């Protein structure tokens, strides 16, 4: 889950059982006074979680998604946020419309980017597990791969990010950016296919600054 801190109170948002759930929401509303409620804001991590879940939900269907379908998916989520941000109602309504407009196009971009290629999506939210023996210890590795594309002999993995992120040769050599390539090695062993590549795919939609003269 992700948290949006308000002083010493954490507001959690998670994806559970097919729905975005606001953790501790009612408790926070009971504990916070009016001034503290006004301090609540749509943390960028909340939007990052929403963006990630939009992509995971629809890309797995491997088809074009209509604006109406996206609206039906997003509206209950934004509606559930209103009790937590009552002073932000107009902002949330605008943000919901913007998210629908932007992600209708973003989902189309992702769909067309994987059509017609030799590799096609075959696994979504794929759980991986492996044990590494480092005597006298055994290390259990657990993880989830957002998407795996496969051909007859090869596979590649794709990790969705709500911000820009790239693999760094320097960080890899220093041993501090190993997650994606570790997932690739384990998935290759589990699915018995040769590793082709590992990629971050940003789902972030940048705002364009416009200066009006």
């Amino acid at each position: 889950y992700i948290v949006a801190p308000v002083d010493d109170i954490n507001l959690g948002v998670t994806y559970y059982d097919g729905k975005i759930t606001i953790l501790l929401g009612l408790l926070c509303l009971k504990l916070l006074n009016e001034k503290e409620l006004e301090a609540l804001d749509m943390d960028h991590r909340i939007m990052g979680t929403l963006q990630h879940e939009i992509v995971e939900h629809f890309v797995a269907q491997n088809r074009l998604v209509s604006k109406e379908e996206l609206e039906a998916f997003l509206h209950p989520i934004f509606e559930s946020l209103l009790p937590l941000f009552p002073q932000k109602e107009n902002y949330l309504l605008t943000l919901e419309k913007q998210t629908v407009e932007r992600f209708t196009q973003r989902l189309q971009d992702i769909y067309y980017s994987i059509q017609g290629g030799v590799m096609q999506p075959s696994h979504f939210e794929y759980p991986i597990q492996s044990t590494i023996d480092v005597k006298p210890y055994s290390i259990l590795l657990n993880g989830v791969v957002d998407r795996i594309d496969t051909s007859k002999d090869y596979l590649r993995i794709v990790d969705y990010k709500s911000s820009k992120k790239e693999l760094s040769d320097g960080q890899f050599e220093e041993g501090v950016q190993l997650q994606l390539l570790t997932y690739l090695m384990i998935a290759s062993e589990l699915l018995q296919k040769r590793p082709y590549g590992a990629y971050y795919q940003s789902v972030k939609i940048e705002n364009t600054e416009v200066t009006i003269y």
Side-chain angles (χ1 to χ4, degrees):
Y1 67 96
I2 54 120
V3 294
V6 181
D7 294 329
D8 59 345
I9 296 178
N10 285 330
L11 202 62
V13 178
T14 188
Y15 194 72
Y16 175 73
D17 195 25
K19 295 180 180 178
I20 293 287
T21 305
I22 308 300
L23 301 177
L24 306 179
L26 293 176
L27 177 61
C28 285
L29 290 177
K30 290 180 181 293
L31 291 177
L32 299 178
N33 58 38
E34 184 176 345
K35 183 177 179 181
E36 289 170 324
L37 275 173
E38 291 178 357
L40 281 172
D41 203 356
M42 280 290 292
D43 187 275
H44 70 278
R45 289 164 294 181
I46 294 179
M47 281 308 299
T49 296
L50 293 180
Q51 292 169 0
H52 198 275
E53 299 308 332
I54 291 169
V55 172
E56 285 186 355
H57 179 79
F58 287 107
V59 173
Q61 299 176 31
N62 199 23
R63 62 180 179 82
L64 288 173
V65 178
S66 69
K67 180 179 176 181
E68 291 72 25
E69 287 178 286
L70 192 53
E71 285 175 339
F73 178 78
L74 282 175
H75 185 67
I77 297 172
F78 278 92
E79 209 169 40
S80 71
L81 290 170
L82 283 174
L84 294 175
F85 305 99
Q87 76 286 6
K88 302 282 187 179
E89 182 175 359
N90 290 336
Y91 170 74
L92 285 172
L93 291 173
T94 301
L95 186 60
E96 179 181 348
K97 291 179 181 178
Q98 288 180 342
T99 305
V100 169
E101 292 290 340
R102 292 178 172 189
F103 267 84
T104 299
Q105 182 61 52
R106 191 74 182 96
L107 289 169
Q108 287 182 7
D109 294 341
I110 294 174
Y111 171 78
Y112 285 122
S113 72
I114 58 181
Q115 297 308 302
V118 174
M119 290 191 175
Q120 288 296 301
S122 58
H123 300 80
F124 298 92
E125 289 296 290
Y126 185 72
I128 61 172
Q129 186 177 95
S130 181
T131 301
I132 299 176
D133 290 320
V134 184
K135 294 182 179 181
Y137 305 104
S138 289
I139 301 173
L140 179 63
L141 299 178
N142 281 298
V144 177
V145 180
D146 287 341
R147 191 182 98 210
I148 299 178
D149 301 341
T150 58
S151 63
K152 181 181 177 181
D153 300 310
Y154 291 90
L155 68 77
R156 68 184 174 200
I157 67 173
V158 179
D159 188 22
Y160 297 122
K161 292 296 180 185
S162 57
S163 59
K164 282 188 175 181
K165 189 169 184 177
E166 297 179 352
L167 283 171
S168 163
D169 291 342
Q171 289 187 341
F172 174 73
E173 291 171 359
E174 292 170 6
V176 295
Q177 198 178 38
L178 301 176
Q179 181 187 29
L180 201 60
L181 296 179
T182 301
Y183 284 179
L184 177 65
M185 292 169 59
I186 296 174
S188 174
E189 182 179 338
L190 291 174
L191 297 176
Q192 293 296 294
K193 291 183 181 292
R194 298 175 64 185
Y196 181 82
Y199 304 89
Y200 290 119
Q201 183 165 17
S202 174
V203 298
K204 181 179 181 181
I205 299 177
E206 301 281 358
N207 289 323
T208 301
E209 293 187 8
V210 177
T211 302
I212 301 176
Y213 296 95

